[in-house]
Amino acid sequence: MSERFDTVDIIRVKRDRGTLSPEQIDWTIDAYTRGVIADEQMAALNMAILLNGMNREEISRWTAAMIASGERMDFSSLGKPTSDKHSTGGVGDKITLPLAPLVAVFGVAVPQLSGRGLGHTGGTLDKLEAIPGWRAALSNDEMMAQLADVGAVICAAGAGLAPADKKLYALRDVTATVEAIPLIASSIMSKKIAEGTGSLVLDVKVGSGAFMKNVDDARELAQTMVTLGKDAGVNTVAFLTNMSTPLGLTAGNAIEVQESVEVLAGGGPSDVVELTVALAKEMLAAAGQPDADPAAALKDGRAMDVWRRMISAQGGDPDAELPVAKESETIVASADGVLTKLDALSVGVAAWRLGAGRARKEDAVQAGAGVRLHAKPGDTVKAGQPLMTLLTDTQEKFERAKEALEGAAVVSPQAAGIPPLIIDRIG
Ligand code: URA
């Protein structure tokens, strides 16, 4: 079959800061999915997009073409509103775990398609797989049945949803082209629009542990995604939230599940509770319930009830003991003072090197590995007091994890201002 366009011409357009036509974009995504465009050509095009950008029309068409590469799900037969949340990824970001059951308490269905961790940011599926018996892969029918019965499901996206993105994302990951706003926005929004959620709340992370290192870039990414969502009929809002320090007191798999269960039991670290409640309020408002009180549903056990049913429905035992790492080492404060910095990226890399994350898609993760924090920025500490505990099954992993943490924690004689967790709301 003769092809409509020549790939080299298309790369040249973007290399020379030109604009791709809608037909060129449709063909590019389709031809790459069919294997007509080679990985090295797509890598060159991605790099040209990263360096030279895309205009609004190009991003919108690129997203639509990625949606069209696969199936679209439809939850309209459920007879209840649907709402979803997506985070751009961070360190210690376990918010999906308490959030999905919490929102379902109010009769809003939460179809949460999640991913695995790659690099220093953790993956929701890896965390939940620390629960003995829990299963990430569900068929579309199983997902629908669980949404109708329990109201919340966290599972892997099926192979049929935005297959172009699966190929593109794997390529971007190994060609240093993840951090391009048009590519991130189209990747996330193609999956969310194809999933068919009625409303969507985006948590766009800003800081050392996030893809977006400064507020201006994060704002542009958030605005781009909100526009794409609204144009597709999905009621979309975005929060910009701080990722310069880890969320909560844990970064890993089993230890993040444990912390999420504490939040569902009405306790847990204040930053995790604050963000969970803020995102739940926004999801419920977007689904037509502006007066719902999610904080009360965490305190009185209603969210915990849905969590237990959600885990059981996917084969997990909510009462099972979680795996514990075989080895641990503690890092202590070097002086008396106030902890003024605890760097998210360093903690994320340390947790990853301890075995909580994977370097390649096919690697296994250690359920018990990670970093447990004993202090957060703003806390007063004494010399010799434990700052963090490193956890792994593999003794040899401590050395490189400790290297990642050099300079990560700063103890100062005087307190410094703590930036707010929620920086802005765009909607
Ligand atoms: N998450 C995604 O799904 N895609 C990206 O490009 C970045 C984060």
Side-chain angles (χ1 to χ4, degrees), residues 316-375:
D317 176 358
D319 297 314
E321 295 276 318
L322 294 170
V324 175
K326 295 194 183 82
E327 312 285 341
S328 67
E329 266 197 34
T330 302
I331 293 182
V332 299
S334 52
D336 289 358
V338 179
L339 186 64
T340 48
K341 179 183 153 191
L342 185 55
D343 183 60
L345 179 61
S346 310
V347 173
V349 171
W352 173 41
R353 290 184 179 173
L354 289 164
R358 53 173 70 75
R360 288 166 310 162
K361 282 203 292 292
E362 53 283 5
D363 292 349
V365 299
Q366 291 184 13
V371 179
R372 190 182 284 284
L373 307 175
H374 303 295

Side-chain angles (χ1 to χ4, degrees), residues 264-324:
L264 287 157
S270 59
D271 56 347
V272 180
V273 176
E274 179 188 343
L275 193 52
T276 303
V277 169
L279 290 168
K281 270 184 171 297
E282 203 64 50
M283 286 168 76
L284 290 163
Q289 295 196 47
D291 300 325
D293 183 0
L298 280 181
K299 288 274 174 229
D300 65 18
R302 280 176 292 160
M304 179 71 97
D305 289 345
V306 179
W307 160 264
R308 294 177 61 81
R309 292 175 58 218
M310 179 180 88
I311 296 302
S312 304
Q314 289 173 245
D317 176 358
D319 297 314
E321 295 276 318
L322 294 170
V324 175

Side-chain angles (χ1 to χ4, degrees), residues 29 61-70 162-165 168 183 186-187 190:
I29 296 293
R61 192 71 179 210
W62 188 271
T63 309
M66 295 224 289
I67 296 168
S69 73
D165 179 62
L168 259 176
L183 298 179
S186 55
S187 165
S190 62

